[in-house]
Amino acid sequence: MRILIAAAGSRGDVAPYTGLGAELRRAGYDVALAATDTCAPFVRKAGLEFRSLPADTRARGGVTGKRDLMRAAAAFVSELGQGFADAMGDGVDLLLLSATTAPLGWHLTEATGTPSLGVYLQPTAPTGDFPPVVTGTRSLGRLVNRATGRFALRMADRVYEQAVARLRHRLDLPPTSPSEMRRRQEQARWPVLHGFSPALVPRPSDWRSGLEVVGNWWPHHDADERLPADLEDFLHAGPRPVLIGFGSMASGDGERLSEIAVRALRRAGLRGILQAGSAQLAADGDDVFTIGDVPHALLFPRLAAVVHHGGAGTSAAALRAGVPAVPVPVTADQPFWARRLAAFGAATDPIPFRSLTAERLADSLDRVVKQQVYSRAAARAAQHLQSEDGAGQVVKAVQQLTGG
């Protein structure tokens, strides 16, 4: 049986699906993962077939304003829609759709009759429990949370309007709007499995049936993979360091952020590792080391703390390793995850990216490393996550859906 997982975005938006795909492959399925071209190396490394989705995520790394983010998202989705049908090709028996690709994938399932299943990294369905994750706002009560959740979905549907119209025309389908298609899916109780821990975000009690929270899907890495030798040398050369990185965020801001990071580390008396990322962080010195991409699962358990942008994947990886965090959210769903970490006790209060200074970062680092309450909460979270099998839950759902 042939399964196509369709995910789109930066590395953090796609990497969890490599672990999910590898688990499905071990269960006997033939799995391909469709994503943007920058993801091809780590998709193939996981033993999955790679299919190209024609969109460029790199420009989004420097976008922080909500209006600019909407414009960048619309341009990204417009590119994405152009090649989505090509990526699907022939002979797909089941389509697994991320939150980004589902509003396009639904039309492919209509045209081909291929069954589909949602595999989301964020909770997108409206709920009274919390405000929509993409707005970055605080809770204003259950009624307002639900209302703003519905509004956020309407705004998302507007982003997809042009891409959907073009895709349906290409597929010889009658015109329909993204919002109408979303209503159809809701009425049909289209199943969505959410790949994050219920310890961090419990399943809302007001969600409809078919929406489940199953636990994280972890990026694939080979069992025999090791950290680079020079990084191992640095780790062995002194006390546990702090990792500072912003993933695909803060493009073009590397020099300023590197200076802030180094000043904060030295002010707090800590050793540090800077992860270059899109910002191109870099620094030299006996107490600071610069790295590129390395598996979080291998590095994070060796750290004293992690300073990160609050992306869903990095937030989960720190919890899995039992390591406390200082979140510095930039945009989109990052403030949501940052507040969740702080509420759980495994992170300091978030420092908004625009408010980041060496002094504020040093103060937060001093607290998160020296006050045991943070590391104890992170250790409790790690125990929760170890008992979960998010990928296994998806395999069971696929078996139930397909009868095999």
Side-chain angles (χ1 to χ4, degrees):
M1 180 174 181
R2 289 159 295 190
I3 296 175
L4 176 64
I5 304 172
S10 61
R11 185 187 183 99
D13 300 313
V14 176
Y17 296 105
T18 61
L20 176 57
E23 187 69 20
L24 286 163
R25 194 163 169 265
R26 280 191 288 273
Y29 297 102
D30 182 357
V31 184
L33 202 164
T36 51
D37 286 344
T38 54
C39 302
F42 63 85
V43 170
R44 291 187 176 118
K45 192 174 181 182
L48 308 177
E49 178 192 344
F50 174 77
R51 297 190 186 179
S52 176
L53 292 180
D56 187 355
T57 61
R58 287 171 295 186
R60 296 192 305 157
V63 175
T64 57
K66 286 188 174 64
R67 187 168 295 177
D68 288 342
L69 188 67
M70 285 283 284
R71 276 199 291 264
F76 173 71
V77 166
S78 182
E79 283 184 85
L80 193 61
Q82 291 299 304
F84 204 101
D86 294 331
M88 184 161 177
D90 297 321
V92 172
D93 300 306
L94 178 65
L95 195 54
L96 302 189
L97 299 168
S98 72
T100 307
T101 60
L104 297 168
W106 292 333
H107 307 277
L108 290 170
T109 64
E110 180 184 343
T112 63
T114 305
S116 63
L117 180 70
V119 283
Y120 290 8
L121 297 178
Q122 299 86 11
T124 62
T127 174
D129 288 8
F130 44 79
V133 299
V134 293
T135 62
T137 55
R138 293 184 178 275
S139 177
L140 294 172
R142 298 191 66 82
L143 286 175
V144 176
N145 287 347
R146 284 194 64 82
T148 53
R150 290 191 292 268
F151 178 75
L153 289 182
R154 287 199 296 273
M155 291 299 99
D157 289 338
R158 285 181 58 184
V159 167
Y160 284 85
E161 277 178 350
Q162 287 190 355
V164 163
R166 290 173 184 159
L167 181 59
R168 289 186 70 85
H169 177 75
R170 177 177 171 179
L171 297 171
D172 292 324
L173 294 172
T176 195
S177 67
S179 56
E180 173 57 30
M181 178 57 85
R182 187 182 297 280
R183 276 193 293 272
R184 284 189 215 165
Q185 297 300 95
E186 290 297 308
Q187 289 166 0
R189 295 290 192 260
W190 186 64
V192 181
L193 305 180
H194 295 82
F196 48 80
S197 175
L200 198 59
V201 184
R203 182 189 184 278
S205 58
D206 57 355
W207 270 7
R208 65 163 173 84
S209 62
L211 303 178
E212 301 298 338
V213 178
V214 299
N216 289 280
W217 310 311
W218 303 109
H220 171 83
H221 69 88
D222 293 330
D224 59 352
E225 192 168 358
R226 298 290 181 268
L227 294 175
D230 52 355
L231 175 55
E232 281 286 1
D233 290 343
F234 181 79
L235 289 167
H236 284 293
R240 288 185 173 218
V242 170
L243 176 76
I244 300 177
F246 296 92
S248 62
M249 294 289 107
S251 178
D253 218 2
E255 188 173 342
R256 181 182 72 87
L257 290 173
S258 299
E259 182 183 343
I260 287 174
V262 172
R263 282 176 52 210
L265 288 165
R266 289 174 179 163
R267 187 180 176 117
L270 298 166
R271 300 197 316 142
I273 298 171
L274 304 190
Q275 189 160 32
S278 293
Q280 292 299 299
L281 300 186
D284 294 316
D286 292 339
D287 57 346
V288 184
F289 189 80
T290 302
I291 61 171
D293 289 325
V294 299
H296 289 165
L298 298 182
L299 176 60
F300 280 18
R302 314 276 296 277
L303 302 172
V306 182
V307 178
H308 61 77
H309 59 301
T314 312
S315 297
L319 288 181
R320 184 191 195 190
V323 178
V326 177
V328 184
V330 182
T331 189
D333 61 334
Q334 296 157 18
F336 173 82
W337 296 111
R339 281 198 292 270
R340 285 279 157 170
L341 290 175
F344 196 88
T348 61
D349 287 336
I351 305 174
F353 179 75
R354 294 176 185 273
S355 304
L356 182 65
T357 63
E359 292 72 26
R360 286 191 70 175
L361 182 55
D363 179 61
S364 291
L365 281 172
D366 189 67
R367 281 187 287 119
V368 82
V369 172
K370 294 179 181 175
Q371 295 181 16
Q372 293 299 305
V373 63
Y374 295 106
S375 56
R376 284 198 293 266
R380 284 199 309 274
Q383 286 184 320
H384 277 291
L385 269 61
Q386 284 168 9
S387 68
E388 297 167 3
D389 182 13
Q393 292 297 312
V394 178
V395 171
K396 287 180 184 176
V398 168
Q399 289 169 339
Q400 289 170 358
L401 189 65
T402 61

